[in-house]
Amino acid sequence: RDAVKNGDNILACIRGSAFNHDGKSNGIVAPSTGAQEKVIRSALRNAKLSPNDIDYIEAHGTGTKLGDTIELAALSRVYGKAKRNTELLIGSVETNLGHAEGAAGICKVIKVVLALQHKTIPQHLNCSNPSSDDQQKFTEMNAKIPFKNEVWTSQPNKNRRAGISANG
């Protein structure tokens, strides 16, 4: 409210956030599907949003078969039950920059803010299609990877919204 009152240029609003720890796992390359599902649900609850309110997911997406498959399974558990009117787009800044370790989270925030500002979800690089194992999850979520720049328009009576999944 203060920013609006002061005439500040508002690029984005973070409605909610959540964080957690994977708990006992086989290490950083083998995250916990259950822990990721819990943190996604918690972030949506904190933002007072439903899975259907989200247009785009900026995934952690490290490019590892194990890690990406686990992240996609967690996303599918949350977003797969939503009856979507539009496709959920899923991308990752790691295809542009590589893994930025502790800076990965802020890189994703910057990417999403720029995407909101330009009303365009950038093309996901260096990937031509998901593996057959992962394709089922995309189908369950009515989701796709943007293999070309996608115009990001808002639906009637709905703001453009993204979810961000990151380490760091």
Side-chain angles (χ1 to χ4, degrees):
R1 282 179 249 203
D2 290 344
V4 171
K5 186 175 89 180
N6 294 336
D8 294 337
N9 186 18
I10 302 168
L11 300 178
C13 175
I14 298 174
R15 298 247 334 225
S17 65
F19 68 94
N20 73 348
H21 186 279
D22 268 352
K24 189 171 182 167
S25 74
N26 290 330
I28 194 165
V29 296
S32 163
T33 304
Q36 288 190 20
E37 177 186 1
K38 285 178 187 174
V39 79
I40 293 165
R41 289 188 189 284
S42 182
L44 286 167
R45 190 172 42 258
N46 291 340
K48 297 180 175 72
L49 296 172
S50 75
N52 218 5
D53 293 322
I54 306 300
D55 305 310
Y56 174 65
I57 298 291
E58 177 61 26
H60 186 59
T62 59
T64 64
K65 174 111 176 96
L66 180 61
D68 287 357
T69 299
I70 289 169
E71 181 178 21
L72 191 57
L75 289 169
S76 179
R77 287 181 182 180
V78 176
Y79 292 94
K81 306 231 184 301
K83 301 295 182 232
R84 302 192 65 80
N85 298 326
T86 58
E87 285 182 307
L88 176 67
L89 296 175
I90 301 174
S92 177
V93 75
E94 274 79 3
T95 67
N96 303 92
L97 302 174
H99 197 300
E101 301 281 332
I106 195 62
C107 291
K108 292 168 183 307
V109 171
I110 291 167
K111 178 184 172 186
V112 168
V113 170
L114 287 168
L116 286 164
Q117 188 175 18
H118 294 283
K119 299 179 182 172
T120 302
I121 295 172
Q123 168 185 354
H124 190 80
L125 304 176
N126 304 313
C127 176
S128 56
N129 60 41
S131 72
S132 57
D133 294 339
D134 293 341
Q135 187 56 52
Q136 179 183 350
K137 301 291 186 214
F138 280 95
T139 301
E140 288 170 8
M141 293 184 284
N142 188 21
K144 73 175 186 178
I145 296 171
F147 294 119
K148 61 181 180 53
N149 289 344
E150 298 274 348
V151 175
W152 192 2
T153 56
S154 56
Q155 303 301 313
N157 302 317
K158 183 181 171 210
N159 292 322
R160 290 172 286 131
R161 294 193 173 117
I164 296 174
S165 174
N167 292 348

